Amino acid sequence: MPGLIAATGLALGALGIASATALDVAIDRSGHDHDSTAYRMGSLPTQVLGFGGAGLVAAGLGAMAIPGLRAASPTLLKLGAGALIGWGATFAVRIGVGMLFHPEGTGMKWNPGDIARNSFDRTHMMGHTSRPHEKLIIGKISELQGHGSYEERLARGDFEPMWHEGDPAPAFD
């Protein structure tokens, strides 16, 4: 079974990417309606793969300690590693696809000249501020593209206003 990790990673990665992309399209088509099923389930593919992979790795490590289950340990570890590879691929593609959709629900907006803006705007449209690792990584991308740091752009008002629970749905022209 030397190819079990690769086969599991490819299969689960393809399923995760397809489902996450379909959910992103549905979220965009709903105008980022926070009550839509797609919006509420948007993180499900990455969560299932991440927690499932971690669970399988933990089960494989636990099986090493139980004599009757030792034989299952390598298979569980390989399946877990493959699921975590699928999680990583799904997460990376989800971020990439998310940066391509305009946060106002107006479809694709290919703008490689300011790839950070759509990512930050989508975070704001989801109703939360960017997490420290997002500010760091995407902020560096913004700086490399000549737009300034996250803090500078936030102070300039470059990003969409924060969506808060109870705010009216955005009206698009």
Side-chain angles (χ1 to χ4, degrees):
M1 286 197 279
L4 185 58
I5 294 172
T8 303
L10 284 171
L12 292 179
L15 290 171
I17 289 167
S19 60
T21 302
L23 285 167
D24 272 338
V25 171
I27 289 168
D28 184 67
R29 297 299 178 255
S30 75
H32 297 262
D33 178 3
H34 290 237
D35 291 326
S36 72
T37 301
Y39 190 90
R40 288 191 319 274
M41 300 295 171
S43 297
L44 194 59
T46 50
Q47 288 176 353
V48 168
L49 288 170
F51 289 126
L56 286 167
V57 168
L61 293 173
M64 287 179 176
I66 302 169
L69 298 177
R70 262 191 210 127
S73 180
T75 302
L76 290 169
L77 289 170
K78 289 176 183 179
L79 289 171
L84 290 174
I85 289 168
W87 167 80
T90 301
F91 189 74
V93 170
R94 180 111 202 265
I95 289 174
V97 169
M99 287 190 289
L100 297 178
F101 279 99
H102 196 275
E104 293 179 349
T106 55
M108 297 293 276
K109 181 183 179 186
W110 177 248
N111 186 4
D114 192 0
I115 205 162
R117 179 168 181 175
N118 273 356
S119 184
F120 284 128
D121 283 347
R122 287 181 67 82
T123 301
H124 285 199
M125 290 297 288
M126 290 178 198
H128 60 85
T129 57
S130 298
R131 295 176 184 97
H133 69 280
E134 294 167 334
K135 290 178 185 177
L136 176 70
I137 294 168
I138 303 172
K140 286 291 180 196
I141 292 169
S142 181
E143 288 177 28
L144 288 170
Q145 291 185 314
H147 301 292
S149 70
Y150 172 78
E151 290 80 13
E152 292 168 346
R153 295 190 76 178
L154 192 60
R156 281 197 309 253
D158 284 1
F159 306 127
E160 294 290 325
M162 179 72 69
W163 184 91
H164 297 284
E165 191 70 39
D167 283 353
F172 305 115
D173 297 331

